Amino acid sequence: QKEVEQDPGPLSVPEGAIVSLNCTYSNSAFQYFMWYRQYSRKGPELLMYTYSSGNKEDGRFTAQVDKSSKYISLFIRDSQPSDSATYLCAMKGTDKLIFGTGTRLQVFP
Amino acid sequence: NAGVTQTPKFRILKIGQSMTLQCTQDMNHNYMYWYRQDPGMGLKLIYYSVGAGITDKGEVPNGYNVSRSTTEDFPLRLELAAPSQTSVYFCASSYRGGAKTDTQYFGPGTRLTVL
């Protein structure tokens, strides 16, 4: 079993839709949870960072962590074509960052 | 403040050739990392460094070598290139210590093809 599982997509939605991206994990030692956004042919950039369980909101983006279910989510409200990218979840305990495989999102006008 | 820079952007190698991928950061980060990204496989850690003079293996170190002589630079060396090393390589850096969140900042990547 992989430590972090993420649906690769692709996910195609119309502009304005609410997008939900998810990851599951198996290591209960993970405490730090991140979402990176990666545009085509670019390096990943940090989008959201959450410590432990709960929600965190930043503009149109909300990150949610449920440690009891070992499940994290990223919600994008009012999605825009500029949100089209690959979204990678990442998490760590006290050691190395472990990445999901990424979900490719396409938002069409 | 350029962040993390990588050179070259693209490279084609023949089987058995060697090359060095360059990585430099100007954020005074203590940690630096090398990842490879293959389609559908996510980011795999090759090597990392916790500071100048200290390096350690990641998940997929075979066929690669690194050195860290300065805080800023962390080159990745490929010896005897093989087709299995065709990938996109990303360098990243972060600061660990105190209350910092250890956010990793990535370079733009080097696309390597081995034929």
Side-chain angles (χ1 to χ4, degrees):
Chain A
Q1 183 187 7
K2 287 183 181 178
E3 278 193 288
V4 179
E5 300 268 7
Q6 185 174 9
D7 188 332
L11 186 60
S12 186
V13 301
E15 183 175 356
I18 296 174
V19 176
S20 171
L21 304 167
N22 311 294
C23 287
T24 59
Y25 63 96
S26 58
N27 190 340
S28 57
F30 288 151
Q31 301 176 68
Y32 302 92
F33 303 91
M34 299 154 210
W35 286 94
Y36 280 81
R37 179 174 60 195
Q38 186 177 19
Y39 290 114
S40 181
R41 296 184 174 264
K42 301 288 187 186
E45 57 177 343
L46 183 68
L47 191 61
M48 298 285 287
Y49 178 101
T50 312
Y51 172 69
S52 196
S53 282
N55 291 0
K56 186 174 182 179
E57 191 172 317
D58 184 0
R60 296 184 295 110
F61 298 90
T62 300
Q64 197 172 74
V65 175
D66 182 350
K67 290 188 74 178
S68 62
S69 302
K70 296 191 178 69
Y71 188 87
I72 71 169
S73 300
L74 177 71
F75 297 96
I76 307 174
R77 290 184 299 281
D78 188 25
S79 56
Q80 302 294 309
S82 58
D83 296 327
S84 298
T86 296
Y87 291 80
L88 301 105
C89 63
M91 48 198 80
K92 68 190 289 280
T94 56
D95 195 21
K96 303 174 192 60
L97 199 58
I98 307 296
F99 285 87
T101 52
T103 299
R104 191 154 56 93
L105 172 67
Q106 179 73 37
V107 181
F108 57 90
Chain B
N1 192 337
V4 180
T5 57
Q6 291 183 239
T7 57
K9 286 188 169 56
F10 306 94
R11 184 73 185 267
I12 297 175
L13 281 182
K14 292 182 180 178
I15 294 172
Q17 286 185 321
S18 300
M19 77 164 292
T20 299
L21 282 66
Q22 301 292 344
C23 175
T24 300
Q25 55 94 6
D26 63 359
M27 297 175 282
N28 202 30
H29 286 168
N30 48 0
Y31 278 62
M32 294 187 75
Y33 313 82
W34 274 105
Y35 293 90
R36 59 177 288 172
Q37 187 177 40
D38 301 308
M41 299 296 290
L43 288 156
K44 301 292 185 186
L45 183 64
I46 304 171
Y47 270 96
Y48 68 101
S49 168
V50 305
I54 306 170
T55 63
D56 206 350
K57 296 177 181 179
E59 188 180 355
V60 290
N62 291 344
Y64 307 95
N65 276 301
V66 293
S67 59
R68 181 106 181 263
S69 57
T70 66
T71 300
E72 295 78 20
D73 300 304
F74 190 39
L76 177 72
R77 177 84 177 160
L78 277 72
E79 305 282 0
L80 298 174
S84 61
Q85 293 178 305
T86 294
S87 189
V88 182
Y89 291 85
F90 289 101
C91 179
S93 71
S94 70
Y95 183 82
R96 285 201 198 183
K100 295 287 185 179
T101 57
D102 189 26
T103 300
Q104 292 191 21
Y105 295 85
F106 284 80
T110 294
R111 290 184 171 273
L112 177 67
T113 302
V114 182
L115 300 173

